[in-house]
Each structure stands twice: as structure tokens, then as C-alpha cells.
């Protein structure tokens, strides 16, 4: 069974640039959620994708956008990067949307914005 | 929105000791999960426990949904138990998992 994989592991970008982070869900999982974890805090929900459509969104501006592909993998795109976007970005997959499925996380992408 | 509070924020134990971590939440929830984040940032799902009690080796968890709290028990702690333990709840009619601020556990040899 293949777990959740994320790429890249680390990334350094300059303020104002754009970034794309990638996630492959665990085999058999059709739902992908993205989280942002600032240093010393718990993860915060960005959005969830199911059947290639956004299926719930947290309190993040529109410059955070995503995609899900037919193989259930997903991308997180962030435009016009700000210094506060520096964080660990975590992808989690599950077998179902909503509450009735445990989340399985990848190792994350650590983004630094300078 | 729903508030999730974890206590204590920090905990230092000697190897072999037992501990109890607590998670309080401010409203009814659809489910609750406990995670362990290791020093490299990886989040591991420990328990999916909307109610009742579950055990997995040296770890066990109890959720009392009617009283809006959950407890994570760690027995005979080992240095590999070190890291941050997060409680996360799933409010009704929402796909947003809300995480607490975590309990940072350090187990000393």
C-alpha cells in the first residue's frame, strides 16, 4: 500500500512569486485535503477536493487554489506569495469526504518565502 | 467556530512514566482524531475515536462526546514517543478538521 507522498520536500521562494505543491494520495483514497501549519501551531484547513472539485474551504484567500486529477492526485497553487505564507504544507487523503474517514498525512512541503 | 483546547501545552517525562493528554472542544462534533507529529514533521494518525475507548499497544484514547472532551493515555513512555500530539475535531456539516494547538511531549532517557 503506497502512502501519501508530497513534493517537493523543501522550497524557497521570493515574495510575489507563485508556487505549486503536489500530492499523491494513498492508494484507494479519493479525497484530498490541504493544510497549512505555521511554526508552533496546529494545522489549519485550506480546502478539500473530491471528484476533481473543491468540496469545502477554510479561511484562506482566493490566491490559494487547487486541483485534483482523475487519479486523485492534487496540486496546491499559491499566487502572489507573502512572507506569512512561510509554513509547512500538509496534504491528507481519505476514503470519503466528510467526517467518517480517518485522515492520512504526507510528510509535507516546507515553504520559505523571503 | 468550534474551539479546540489541549492541555497541558508542554509535558516532560522520564522514560517509563505514564501520562494523560486532554482535549476539550466547544461544540458537538462528528468525529475526533488524535495525531502524533514526530520531530521531522510527519503526522501519524493514532486514533479515529468519535466516542468510546480504543487501545493500540501502549496508547489508548477515550472520547466522551456528551461532555465534549477526549483523553489520550500513554503508558510506559519511550523516547520515541516524543513529539507533538494533536487532537482534531470535525464539526457537523463541515469538511473542516479543526486542530488544537497540540501538546509537546518530551520523554527523557
Amino acid at each position: 500500500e503506497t502512502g501519501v507522498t508530497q513534493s517537493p520536500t523543501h522550497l524557497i521562494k521570493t515574495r510575489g512569486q507563485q508556487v505549486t505543491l503536489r500530492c499523491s494520495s494513498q492508494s484507494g483514497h479519493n479525497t484530498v485535503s490541504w493544510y497549512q501549519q505555521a511554526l508552533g501551531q496546529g494545522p489549519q484547513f485550506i480546502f478539500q477536493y473530491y471528484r476533481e472539485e473543491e468540496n469545502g474551504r477554510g479561511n484562506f484567500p482566493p490566491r490559494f487554489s487547487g486541483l485534483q486529477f482523475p487519479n486523485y492526485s492534487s496540486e496546491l497553487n499559491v499566487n502572489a506569495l507573502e512572507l506569512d505564507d512561510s509554513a509547512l504544507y500538509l496534504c491528507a487523503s481519505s476514503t470519503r469526504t466528510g467526517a467518517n474517514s480517518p485522515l492520512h498525512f504526507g510528510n509535507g512541503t516546507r515553504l520559505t518565502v523571503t | 467556530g468550534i474551539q479546540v483546547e489541549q492541555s497541558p501545552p508542554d509535558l516532560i517525562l522520564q522514560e517509563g512514566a505514564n501520562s494523560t493528554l486532554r482535549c476539550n472542544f466547544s461544540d458537538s462534533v462528528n468525529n475526533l482524531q488524535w495525531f502524533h507529529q514526530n520531530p521531522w514533521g510527519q503526522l501519524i494518525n493514532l486514533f479515529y475515536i468519535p466516542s468510546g475507548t480504543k487501545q493500540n499497544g501502549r496508547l489508548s484514547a477515550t472520547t466522551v462526546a456528551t461532555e465534549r472532551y477526549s483523553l489520550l493515555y500513554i503508558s510506559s513512555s519511550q523516547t520515541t514517543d516524543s513529539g507533538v500530539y494533536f487532537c482534531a475535531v470535525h464539526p457537523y456539516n463541515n469538511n473542516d478538521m479543526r486542530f488544537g494547538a497540540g501538546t509537546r511531549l518530551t520523554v527523557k532517557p
Side-chain angles (χ1 to χ4, degrees), chain A residues 54-113:
Chain A
E54 189 177 288
N55 185 47
R57 188 179 183 93
N59 189 25
F60 281 82
R63 60 189 184 83
F64 286 78
S65 63
L67 286 172
Q68 187 181 31
F69 301 99
N71 65 354
Y72 307 129
S73 66
S74 177
E75 286 182 355
L76 164 64
N77 299 292
V78 187
N79 293 324
L81 283 167
E82 301 177 359
L83 296 179
D84 285 349
D85 295 334
S86 295
L88 179 67
Y89 287 85
L90 294 160
C91 168
S93 71
S94 55
T95 56
R96 283 172 286 183
T97 63
N100 300 316
S101 179
L103 292 180
H104 296 269
F105 282 87
N107 290 343
T109 294
R110 190 165 298 280
L111 173 65
T112 303
V113 182

Side-chain angles (χ1 to χ4, degrees), chain A residues 11-23:
Chain A
L11 202 51
I12 300 175
K13 289 285 190 179
T14 303
R15 189 171 49 184
Q17 286 187 315
Q18 177 266 343
V19 68
T20 297
L21 310 181
R22 294 178 175 83
C23 171

Side-chain angles (χ1 to χ4, degrees), chain A residues 35 37 40-43 45 48 55-56 58 88 90 97-103 105-107, chain B residues 30-31 33 35 37 40-43 45 48 86 90-91 94-101 104:
Chain A
Y35 290 79
Q37 186 177 19
Q41 298 181 21
F45 177 72
Q48 182 184 86
N55 185 47
L88 179 67
L90 294 160
T97 63
N100 300 316
S101 179
L103 292 180
F105 282 87
N107 290 343
Chain B
N30 215 340
N31 82 47
Q33 301 184 38
F35 296 89
Q37 189 166 41
W40 298 271
Q42 187 179 15
L43 267 173
N45 193 310
Y48 171 88
F86 288 103
H90 198 137
N94 198 321
N95 284 328
D96 180 354
M97 285 291 291
R98 297 287 178 89
F99 282 75
R104 181 172 297 278

